[in-house]
Amino acid sequence: MSNVVFITGATSGFGRAAARRFAAAGWSLVLTGRRVERLQALQDELAGRVPVHVAALDVRDGSAVTRVVAELPEGFRRVRTLVNNAGLALAPEPAQTVELSDWLTMIDTNVIGLVSVTHALLPTLIETGEGASIVNLGSIAGQWPYPGSHVYGATKAFVKQFSYNLRCDLLGTGVRVTDLAPGIAETEFTLVRTKGDQAASDRLYRGTTPLSAEDVAEQIYYVATLPAHMNVNRMEVMPVRQAWSPFAIDRDA
């Protein structure tokens, strides 16, 4: 029986790249996401190589999360790795100009969605035991503040602390937990954040070398396949061409 990985947000970016990486290693895949046509395309691409089960899922819908986990077919129920990838950033402008609905969408997806999926799969992961892994996709924004990060950064700080606290509660079960925190990476992230502004996305990545989705997927696979006695608590990964800025200071004219 092959190992099973359960990936949320598998229709693009890190999630889709992770699906391909685990498939290359022979893992069975449970792929979830909101865009059914993309899920089907990914299943068509990978099903000739490994077993693939897809399920349309918006992680903000707690009852849907419970149903998808409960209805996993035979052969996909013994999940060894959960990749909590579904998430988004919105409204990269100052907090005082942001619509409340954008804040709530980020909280519902990045926090409520992540804990709902984790809660639903914890019994399975504990049953799997030694070597089981939860890989939570955080962000450098959960550690390092910057203008326009407001609630997005706060949700990723939650991911970091939730991951640490899970480690405490899961001690003795064999289940590992990692907060994987990427820096700038060229995916659809900025398109979503700017509500489809391709020019803004192009400006962000122009003239530099960001991480790729495949770079991050490789790290997801790495932490999930370490020897069973090892746990990476937090992995922060940035491109060499990204670093920190000095403190901003408001000065009199």
Side-chain angles (χ1 to χ4, degrees), residues 1-5 26-29 75 78 80 225:
M1 181 181 297
S2 67
N3 293 319
V4 178
V5 60
W27 287 54
S28 298
L29 310 176
R78 194 172 180 82
R80 185 173 182 85
T225 55

Side-chain angles (χ1 to χ4, degrees), residues 42-64:
L42 195 55
Q43 183 177 40
D44 292 345
E45 174 190 339
L46 300 175
R49 300 160 59 186
V50 294
V52 181
H53 172 69
V54 299
L57 178 64
D58 185 337
V59 297
R60 296 175 295 178
D61 184 341
S63 60

Side-chain angles (χ1 to χ4, degrees), residues 70-157:
E71 295 177 355
L72 287 175
E74 189 67 36
F76 294 95
R77 293 177 186 169
R78 194 172 180 82
V79 176
R80 185 173 182 85
T81 293
L82 166 60
V83 179
N84 273 317
N85 170 70
L88 79 169
L90 296 171
E93 58 259 24
Q96 58 269 31
T97 67
V98 174
E99 294 291 335
L100 178 59
S101 60
D102 285 337
W103 279 4
L104 297 180
T105 297
M106 287 186 280
I107 293 169
D108 286 346
T109 306
N110 301 355
V111 176
I112 304 300
L114 182 143
V115 300
S116 296
V117 175
T118 303
H119 188 269
L121 278 169
L122 269 179
T124 298
L125 291 161
I126 291 170
E127 183 180 350
T128 298
E130 189 175 82
S133 300
I134 300 170
V135 183
N136 293 326
L137 266 295
S139 169
I140 60 170
Q143 178 77 17
W144 310 107
Y146 61 86
S149 183
H150 40 78
V151 166
Y152 174 68
T155 64
K156 293 305 184 178

Side-chain angles (χ1 to χ4, degrees), residues 172-193:
T173 67
V175 181
R176 307 178 290 191
V177 187
T178 298
D179 170 33
L180 178 54
I184 185 173
E186 188 168 5
T187 65
E188 294 178 11
F189 176 87
T190 301
L191 277 178
V192 172
R193 193 173 201 185

